[in-house]
Amino acid sequence: MIRNPLTPSKYNLWIRPPSESWEAVYNTSTGNYLVLDDVAAKTLTTHQDCLESNRSETLARQGFLVPESVDEVEAIRYVYGISKQSIQTPMLTIAPTMNCNFGCHYCFEEHQRGWMPIRVREASVAFLRFLMGEEKPRSPDPLSITWFGGEPLMALPIVRDLTARYVAMVEEGWFSGIQATVITNGYSLTPRASNELAALHVDHLQITLDGPERIHDARRFLKKGRQPTFRRIMKNIEGVPEKLRITCRIVSLPLSHTRTEQSFLA
């Protein structure tokens, strides 16, 4: 039982889509996200019966409610002060473009055209230097990068440019090396592209397949002409160098496809 009076965290951000009946809250301090029902929303907005509610205890454990006696800003400042003394290497997730050549109907992204501008690339490197701190000891670990999107292979020149900037930091002694993962739909993963990725310190590829050819092509097709993609992806996978590890991510299929999915996984 939580005995201290609780209050909604000042780091709660509310999400209320205008055309939807639901609402959600995201806490920028803990990174927790929660879709709320009416009771939970009332607890967070009015703070009624907080001490008697098991729901309130759950919200407190997740950081949406905090003890009134806690200074959240000071708590974050304290954690930041400790982290400055750590040599833990940051893990970067970078989207060189938000554009994509696929038209998957379930995708939540808007697929904006264009590449990451030079000012953002320069700022990302400056921010990484700031995170590491000039006074901190250098990391004995490699820098971990995940190339995301959109479809990152549509902006390979940006991957080249940023990798060169991070390699320069390795040469300056900031990190022991670079380990990178690319999350890709696999359509542009030609032998030439996969070999270049290996040269750009990529050692892991995550490729999405939605099941066997018939199911995959019905859900993951090119924007242009809704052309199928399965066979080309599989051909590209066969041409990937052995030094690149591959993880195939399978989006959950409907129950009616269970047998087909099992045969695909077998």
Side-chain angles (χ1 to χ4, degrees):
M1 176 70 67
I2 298 178
R3 299 181 179 179
N4 294 328
L6 297 172
T7 187
S9 169
K10 64 178 62 179
Y11 293 103
N12 289 341
L13 293 180
W14 287 88
I15 303 168
R16 299 183 175 96
S19 59
E20 302 289 343
S21 60
W22 58 271
E23 57 185 343
V25 63
Y26 173 70
N27 187 274
T28 58
S29 175
T30 63
N32 286 327
Y33 173 86
L34 184 65
V35 177
L36 303 170
D37 56 24
D38 292 340
V39 176
K42 186 176 182 180
T43 300
L44 280 180
T45 54
T46 67
H47 196 42
Q48 293 184 2
D49 299 327
C50 182
L51 297 181
E52 292 74 29
S53 172
N54 289 332
R55 189 179 298 271
S56 296
E57 294 184 32
T58 300
L59 294 174
R61 285 195 297 270
Q62 296 174 335
F64 299 113
L65 292 174
V66 296
E68 289 184 347
S69 59
V70 171
D71 183 336
E72 289 187 271
V73 176
E74 184 59 33
I76 291 176
R77 185 179 291 115
Y78 174 76
V79 172
Y80 175 71
I82 293 177
S83 67
K84 287 180 65 178
Q85 305 306 315
S86 171
I87 59 174
Q88 182 177 358
T89 303
M91 294 182 290
L92 305 180
T93 299
I94 306 173
T97 180
M98 294 307 296
N99 197 10
C100 185
N101 51 350
F102 276 28
C104 311
H105 65 85
Y106 54 75
C107 185
F108 62 90
E109 297 179 1
E110 297 181 1
H111 295 172
Q112 299 175 353
R113 293 186 176 184
W115 292 351
M116 179 185 287
I118 183 66
R119 59 179 178 80
V120 177
R121 282 174 264 161
E122 292 175 344
S124 70
V125 176
F127 182 66
L128 179 58
R129 291 180 180 272
F130 168 77
L131 283 179
M132 295 302 296
E134 289 290 349
E135 73 282 3
K136 291 171 61 176
R138 296 301 189 249
S139 172
D141 301 320
L143 174 64
S144 176
I145 304 173
T146 297
W147 299 105
F148 185 60
E151 171 49 48
L153 296 188
M154 294 181 69
L156 198 50
I158 305 301
V159 177
R160 294 188 199 110
D161 176 63
L162 279 173
T163 299
R165 296 171 186 266
Y166 296 135
V167 166
M169 293 187 68
V170 171
E171 293 173 348
E172 293 170 14
W174 291 85
F175 313 105
S176 62
I178 296 175
Q179 289 181 338
T181 293
V182 174
I183 300 177
T184 174
N185 58 39
Y187 191 81
S188 301
L189 192 64
T190 62
R192 179 177 179 179
S194 59
N195 278 287
E196 179 171 5
L197 290 176
L200 293 173
H201 303 274
V202 173
D203 61 4
H204 177 225
L205 302 170
Q206 178 179 300
I207 303 172
T208 303
L209 294 169
D210 275 8
E213 182 175 356
R214 177 178 60 84
I215 298 173
H216 174 93
D217 285 342
R219 301 176 67 179
R220 296 182 64 80
F221 44 80
L222 292 179
K223 286 179 181 177
K224 186 176 181 180
R226 297 176 65 94
Q227 298 178 47
T229 60
F230 183 86
R231 292 190 180 184
R232 175 160 170 172
I233 294 171
M234 295 303 293
K235 181 179 179 181
N236 287 342
I237 290 176
E238 292 175 357
V240 171
E242 291 186 2
K243 56 186 173 183
L244 291 182
R245 294 181 295 112
I246 298 177
T247 299
C248 285
R249 177 177 178 269
I250 302 175
V251 177
S252 179
L253 302 176
L255 185 59
S256 60
H257 293 144
T258 299
R259 291 184 179 177
T260 309
E261 181 181 15
Q262 289 174 347
S263 64
F264 175 66
L265 293 175

